[in-house]
């Protein structure tokens, strides 16, 4: 990653990283699980268009509205993880889907007999672009709030925000 940018959110500092100028490669809450500390050592560049567009997305999102667009993303991972992250992008604002539902959808798309919900959970947990790729919208089979690299308190806040409950 080449550049870093900070955003102050109601849930704490958010770090963003970009490769080059055109796409967002990472977005993490400070200190979240799997946060690459090396991001903090990258040079800051607050004028990159992708950071300005991501800030606009976050401003809209934290005002309680569906941003309606996705900043350009650079995802570098296995085909499976990328497929899971793309499936997350399909979850509508304010709705949730279980790990098992995502696994079933991916199995149907790829015409394999079965994909493990646990494998989906591993990919969801390693999502490098938190919020924008909405891993917080994934729940347990019974609708329970399970796992979130940013912390369950943040997950609960984000889901309440999207449902207009704040």
């Amino acid at each position: 990653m080449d550049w870093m940018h900070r955003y102050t959110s109601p849930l704490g500092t958010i770090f963003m990283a970009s490769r080059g100028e055109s796409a967002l490669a990472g977005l993490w809450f400070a200190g979240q699980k799997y946060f690459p500390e090396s991001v903090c050592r990258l040079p800051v560049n607050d004028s990159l268009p992708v950071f300005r567009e991501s800030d606009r997305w976050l401003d809209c999102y934290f005002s309680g509205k569906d941003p309606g667009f996705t900043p350009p993303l650079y995802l570098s991972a296995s085909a499976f993880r990328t497929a899971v992250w793309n499936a997350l992008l399909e979850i509508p604002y304010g709705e949730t889907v279980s790990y098992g539902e995502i696994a079933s959808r991916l199995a149907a798309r790829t015409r394999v007999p079965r994909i493990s919900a646990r494998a989906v959970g591993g990919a969801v947990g390693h999502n490098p672009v938190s919020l924008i790729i909405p891993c917080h919208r994934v729940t347990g089979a019974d609708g329970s709030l399970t796992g979130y690299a940013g912390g369950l308190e943040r997950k609960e806040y984000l889901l309440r925000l999207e449902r207009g409950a704040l």
Side-chain angles (χ1 to χ4, degrees), residues 2-147:
D2 300 324
W3 305 104
M4 185 265 286
H5 173 69
R6 287 182 193 88
Y7 178 90
T8 302
S9 83
L11 296 173
T13 301
I14 291 175
F15 289 88
M16 292 180 239
S18 176
R19 290 189 187 267
E21 298 187 11
S22 60
L24 190 64
L27 186 148
W28 307 269
F29 287 103
Q32 81 171 50
K33 192 173 184 181
Y34 309 121
F35 175 68
E37 295 293 332
S38 61
V39 167
C40 296
R41 293 187 294 275
L42 292 173
V44 174
N45 187 334
D46 295 329
S47 65
L48 282 183
V50 71
F51 291 150
R52 287 196 313 267
E53 191 168 355
S54 298
D55 282 353
R56 188 168 60 90
W57 190 98
L58 291 165
D59 288 345
C60 183
Y61 181 84
F62 283 115
S63 74
K65 298 178 185 130
D66 180 354
F69 71 96
T70 302
L73 303 175
Y74 173 86
L75 301 176
S76 176
S78 69
F80 178 74
R81 282 189 177 179
T82 302
V84 170
W85 299 337
N86 283 322
L88 298 179
L89 286 166
E90 296 172 4
I91 304 170
Y93 180 91
E95 296 183 23
T96 58
V97 174
S98 74
Y99 296 97
E101 289 174 87
I102 293 171
S104 294
R105 290 177 189 176
L106 289 175
R109 283 185 194 160
T110 57
R111 297 189 175 135
V112 297
R114 183 178 177 281
I115 292 177
S116 159
R118 185 167 289 200
V120 168
V124 169
H126 285 84
N127 168 18
V129 187
S130 193
L131 286 179
I132 293 174
I133 298 178
C135 51
H136 61 280
R137 295 181 190 150
V138 185
T139 64
D142 62 358
S144 61
L145 300 187
T146 60

